Amino acid sequence: MEAVALVILLVVVVGGLLTLASSLRVVQQFEHGIVFRFGQVQRGGQLRPGAVRTPGLTVIIPIAERMQKVNQQTITLGVPAQEGITQDNVSVRVDAVVYFRVVDPVKAIVNVQNYGYAVSQVAQTSLRSVIGQADMQELLGEREKINLRLRGIIDEITQDPWGLLIERVEIKDVSLPEGMKRSMARQAEAERERRARIITADGEFQASKRLAAAAEIMSQDPAALQLRLLQTVVEVSAEKNSTLVMPLPVEILRFFDRAVGGAGSGTSGAEESGGDKLGLGERLAKAEEELAKAAEKPSTLESTDEVPPVIGLDEPKHKSQHGIGSSEQAPEVPGPSADQPRGISGGEGEDRQG
């Protein structure tokens, strides 16, 4: 009799331990537990008390209740690449990634069968829709705008019905056809070439002003031209060339011209030469003043952005569409006045006027 009572007691203890073990549940910190009592989580249109269990140790009725855990961590979901045609008829292939988490575990379990698969399908269809509504320039240069639009579309579908929060949507890559890539490369190359040519032309313009001013000063004295010629010869001979070409001085030609012209014209030329010598200092001072004024003025092309727009490539950035920079004119090159002769002193009047 005692043996039978001992067996019964042992069976009761083992059964109680098994029942207790089956009724204990541990909910992790990043989880929430949804308890279904006889298959119900709501009663009378409202959530049943104790239906959602917080993290920690909890107890359920072994046969009457069943608990399902819901992960509330942020889930990263990759959206497969989708092919589409943009608004400007360009075929592209775009893939993205979606970050979301569960904010209402009851809706995520009750209202949708597999919320991860559902979010994936919604993201794919939304991505195709956004591709068709945007043009290629937006997809390449305005990623943030496209990401916000995608997030708004997906979040509107999933938040209230499914209890999911779309935290972020990012477009990973936009694949273009090879022909389009080559066209874009040619466009960028042509744009850079255009800017380089404009900058080079502006440099040539400024250099021509300096050369014209230098020529004006050097033309007042034949010794300056002769010294410049000798300096050029020195620079050429410094390269250790075996052959050196000496140009014929202009004075020799003018000597023969004076010999043919006669003595009368020589007298008038000497008078004009004396007048030119008298005004040489004033003309040099005037040329230096003009050079100083030209150096103080800024360049007509301050930066590579200050260039005229190209129709079809970029938008105009200047108030003026007819030239480089503002409407100010470039400074004039200093030159001789109308009443002063131009040429090298020491010759005849006709030679200096030529």
Side-chain angles (χ1 to χ4, degrees):
M1 194 67 181
E2 294 178 358
V4 174
L6 184 60
V7 170
I8 293 174
L9 180 61
L10 182 60
V11 170
V12 171
V13 172
V14 172
L17 292 176
L18 292 177
T19 303
L20 181 62
S22 62
S23 62
L24 292 177
R25 293 290 186 273
V26 176
V27 181
Q28 302 294 332
Q29 184 65 42
F30 54 86
E31 295 177 335
H32 273 66
I34 309 300
V35 178
F36 293 87
R37 180 175 296 176
F38 297 108
Q40 295 181 350
V41 71
Q42 294 180 346
R43 183 179 299 171
Q46 295 181 356
L47 191 63
R48 181 177 52 81
V52 180
R53 304 294 175 86
T54 57
L57 183 63
T58 184
V59 180
I60 63 173
I61 302 175
I63 299 176
E65 294 180 347
R66 179 181 62 88
M67 187 175 69
Q68 183 172 353
K69 299 177 182 179
V70 180
N71 192 331
Q72 290 194 308
Q73 291 177 311
T74 299
I75 301 174
T76 303
L77 179 65
V79 182
Q82 302 295 311
E83 295 183 357
I85 300 177
T86 61
Q87 195 173 11
D88 50 354
N89 299 325
V90 178
S91 298
V92 295
R93 184 180 178 88
V94 183
D95 56 352
V97 59
V98 180
Y99 301 90
F100 70 96
R101 62 185 178 89
V102 178
V103 294
D104 192 338
V106 176
K107 291 182 180 180
I109 295 300
V110 175
N111 294 348
V112 61
Q113 182 178 7
N114 187 344
Y115 58 83
Y117 179 75
V119 171
S120 176
Q121 296 301 312
V122 170
Q124 293 181 36
T125 55
S126 301
L127 183 58
R128 284 178 173 269
S129 176
V130 170
I131 291 175
Q133 297 175 2
D135 55 14
M136 185 189 65
Q137 189 64 29
E138 290 182 352
L139 290 176
L140 295 177
E142 301 181 6
R143 296 283 187 89
E144 189 65 26
K145 181 179 178 181
I146 301 299
N147 295 337
L148 292 177
R149 190 186 305 178
L150 272 174
R151 177 187 174 186
I153 295 175
I154 301 174
D155 193 58
E156 182 181 1
I157 299 174
T158 59
Q159 185 172 9
D160 291 336
W162 300 344
L164 305 176
L165 176 63
I166 305 300
E167 296 182 343
R168 193 173 184 84
V169 180
E170 292 285 346
I171 293 180
K172 293 196 298 184
D173 186 26
V174 178
S175 300
L176 299 176
E178 293 298 328
M180 181 60 64
K181 292 181 180 179
R182 290 192 294 268
S183 299
M184 294 176 64
R186 290 195 299 268
Q187 176 184 355
E189 184 179 357
E191 175 68 15
R192 292 297 179 182
E193 183 68 21
R194 178 178 71 94
R195 294 175 182 272
R197 290 185 177 183
I198 292 176
I199 294 174
T200 303
D202 185 71
E204 292 292 337
F205 175 69
Q206 296 181 13
S208 64
K209 293 190 296 183
R210 296 286 189 252
L211 290 175
E216 173 65 22
I217 296 175
M218 295 176 64
S219 64
Q220 308 305 320
D221 196 345
L225 294 176
Q226 189 66 25
L227 291 175
R228 182 57 183 166
L229 176 61
L230 295 176
Q231 183 180 359
T232 304
V233 172
V234 171
E235 292 176 357
V236 173
S237 61
E239 300 295 333
K240 298 181 180 181
N241 296 323
S242 58
T243 304
L244 181 61
V245 178
M246 289 291 295
L248 184 65
V250 182
E251 286 75 5
I252 297 179
L253 299 178
R254 296 192 178 185
F255 172 76
F256 290 109
D257 191 12
R258 288 194 299 269
V260 175
S265 59
T267 305
S268 61
E271 295 176 357
E272 292 186 5
S273 175
D276 190 25
K277 286 293 183 179
L278 293 177
L280 178 59
E282 298 179 357
R283 298 182 66 180
L284 288 177
K286 182 179 180 181
E288 291 179 358
E289 182 180 356
E290 294 293 337
L291 282 177
K293 292 181 179 180
E296 292 177 358
K297 292 187 177 181
S299 172
T300 57
L301 188 64
E302 297 182 356
S303 63
T304 56
D305 293 334
E306 297 294 330
V307 295
V310 175
I311 303 301
L313 292 181
D314 51 9
E315 296 296 333
K317 299 181 181 179
H318 305 285
K319 296 181 180 179
S320 175
Q321 300 291 335
H322 301 288
I324 301 175
S326 62
S327 60
E328 297 182 358
Q329 298 294 330
E332 296 293 336
V333 177
S337 58
D339 57 347
Q340 293 179 344
R342 179 184 178 90
I344 302 174
S345 61
E348 296 183 359
E350 294 180 357
D351 294 339
R352 286 193 301 273
Q353 295 296 331

